[in-house]
Amino acid sequence: MSAPATPEVVPLAQPVLGEAEEAAVIEVLRSGQLSLGPRVPAFEAAFAARLGVTHASAVSSGTAALHLGLRAVGVEAGDEVVTSPFSFVASANVILYEGATPVFADIDPRTLNLDPAAAAAAITGRTRALLPVHIFGHPADIAALEAHGLAIVEDACEALGARHSDGTPVGGRGHPAAFGFYANKQLTTGEGGMLTLGSAEHKARVDSERNQGRAPDMGWLDHDRLGFNYRLTDLQCALGLAQLERLDGMLADRAGVAGAYREALAAVEGLELPCEDAGGDERGWFVFVVQLPRGSDRDAVIAALRERGVQSKPYLPAIHLMSFYRERFGHRPGEFPVCEAVAERSLALPFFPAMSEGQVARVAEALRQALGR
Ligand SMILES: Cc1ncc(COP(=O)(O)O)c(C=O)c1O
């Protein structure tokens, strides 16, 4: 008897890479200039133009972009930075890199972004900056946060393609805004990031600090400030330029997959889907994260999905309850109840531009079975 055929795995994420990307990378290889070459400013200029900002600096990751953004607005040891506990850990870690303290504030239960009222209540005399996160590509309420007159550094790592209700692209309001280009993102360079900026002074500082603190008019080994190696290579920038060319198509495909999921999952009792756009805000689709019905055993659901060839993962855990943050700051469950309730039930399903309707149907059916609905 032959073994039953194992179903083809539906992966969590899958980049769109084609001939254009291949040609772009090969061209750089043949040019012999793999770093500090012309593709870096070309990618920065194209990205800045796309977002309607005056400046952009390409860096080695979204984390590096956030770190240099915080330094640009003057965050220093002893400062406090108000941020969301419902994020990827990097948005809090970068605050610690500078010896500052992440002060968490709870999230809005609909958008899952920093709740402006909670953020306002967390501001003290030591608050140097606010670090809102556009989680899952949904625009955070930056206008409400601007009312405090504090520096803002936006974590837009998941939000390329999103728009605020006034039509401004997320990351285009002039605050330092960090984007990430890891392989699961809307646009990928393998690893990589971009910091959009509204000030020439910030741009000069970021460009120096990503390159070991070198000033533009100094020789290679002369450095006038502390810096890092956060450079993005020409190979990666060439890949980024090719991806930027096809970005509109990839974003539209992601939105299409999200629409198909909404239809396929609408009737699953107790399952909560990502919030719909409202009030003119537009999500830049990055992941499709559902809230499992209350009382579900998430680990069992993940295992049942895996058996049916469907990848999934809890996304995201609450940062303040991660062991490092608990030990360092003494955080305990109950501090941010909205975030904690969401983090306990959230599950990311496979989501990528080339996902077929058949794959969406398979995931939906597997989830229904896993939940026993
Ligand atoms: C919200 C958020 N912030 C920061 C990052 C860090 O980006 P990177 O992995 O490129 O350093 C990510 C990446 O997954 C993210 O999702």
Side-chain angles (χ1 to χ4, degrees):
M1 229 172 61
S2 60
T6 21
E8 200 188 310
V9 173
V10 189
L12 259 178
Q14 194 175 286
V16 181
L17 299 168
E19 283 174 15
E21 283 78 3
E22 236 175 270
V25 171
I26 287 170
E27 202 184 325
V28 177
L29 285 175
R30 291 194 176 140
S31 78
Q33 177 134 33
L34 305 191
S35 58
L36 291 169
R39 266 75 178 183
V40 181
F43 184 33
E44 291 171 342
F47 198 89
R50 161 107 201 174
L51 291 217
V53 291
T54 42
H55 306 286
S57 294
V59 289
S60 52
S61 68
T63 308
L66 283 170
H67 185 197
L68 296 188
L70 282 182
R71 289 175 62 90
V73 303
V75 169
E76 290 177 353
D79 290 340
E80 292 178 355
V81 178
V82 174
T83 191
S84 170
F86 191 63
S87 176
F88 183 65
V89 68
S91 56
N93 281 349
V94 291
I95 299 167
L96 293 176
Y97 292 175
E98 287 305 310
T101 304
V103 175
F104 297 112
D106 213 344
I107 57 169
D108 177 282
R110 193 185 78 85
T111 65
L112 312 186
N113 283 323
L114 198 55
D115 174 350
I123 292 171
T124 72
R126 290 169 64 200
T127 307
R128 175 60 70 100
L130 309 176
L131 198 166
V133 182
H134 304 278
I135 203 68
F136 304 160
H138 193 287
D141 191 350
I142 302 298
L145 298 174
E146 283 167 348
H148 302 291
L150 287 161
I152 293 178
V153 176
E154 299 179 43
D155 184 339
C157 284
E158 301 191 350
L160 185 55
R163 269 182 198 281
H164 293 288
S165 55
D166 65 357
T168 317
V170 161
R173 290 181 78 89
H175 309 292
F179 291 85
F181 303 142
Y182 177 67
N184 64 347
K185 295 296 194 300
Q186 289 93 332
L187 176 157
T188 187
T189 58
E191 296 279 359
M194 189 73 79
L195 189 63
T196 54
L197 297 156
S199 128
E201 203 184 309
H202 284 170
K203 165 81 176 155
R205 178 167 179 178
V206 168
D207 285 359
S208 168
E209 290 185 352
R210 75 176 165 188
N211 194 16
Q212 305 284 15
R214 192 171 68 128
D217 56 348
M218 286 183 170
W220 174 233
L221 291 176
D222 202 358
H223 304 267
D224 63 355
R225 66 175 98 203
L226 178 68
F228 310 85
N229 180 354
Y230 281 167
R231 296 187 301 267
L232 195 65
T233 66
D234 273 55
L235 288 161
Q236 290 166 304
C237 289
L239 193 51
L241 278 163
Q243 288 266 289
L244 208 47
E245 287 284 311
R246 62 161 95 238
L247 181 62
D248 285 326
M250 293 193 293
L251 289 171
D253 287 348
R254 281 182 185 266
V257 174
Y261 261 133
R262 264 195 207 296
E263 264 183 48
L265 295 172
V268 183
E269 206 191 315
L271 188 73
E272 285 172 43
L273 304 183
C275 72
E276 303 244 24
D277 289 346
D281 283 338
E282 277 175 42
R283 191 193 292 266
W285 279 99
F286 165 55
V287 278
F288 198 87
V289 176
V290 296
Q291 302 285 303
L292 295 182
R294 283 171 217 285
S296 307
D297 177 345
R298 184 169 58 183
D299 290 340
V301 171
I302 292 170
L305 288 174
R306 194 184 310 117
E307 267 171 35
R308 291 165 174 82
V310 172
Q311 293 186 348
S312 66
K313 73 170 175 197
Y315 195 76
L316 290 150
I319 296 176
H320 66 288
L321 297 182
M322 291 181 178
S323 44
F324 170 73
Y325 279 85
R326 280 189 196 226
E327 278 160 32
R328 175 96 173 246
F329 296 102
H331 289 299
R332 289 289 170 266
E335 281 180 74
F336 307 106
V338 182
C339 166
E340 291 165 28
V342 169
E344 270 172 20
R345 292 169 55 211
S346 63
L347 187 71
L349 300 177
F351 188 70
F352 48 92
M355 206 171 163
S356 68
E357 289 200 3
Q359 285 175 311
V360 170
R362 250 190 74 196
V363 174
E365 183 51 31
L367 184 59
R368 215 173 285 129
Q369 287 174 9
L371 291 169
R373 318 256 148 163

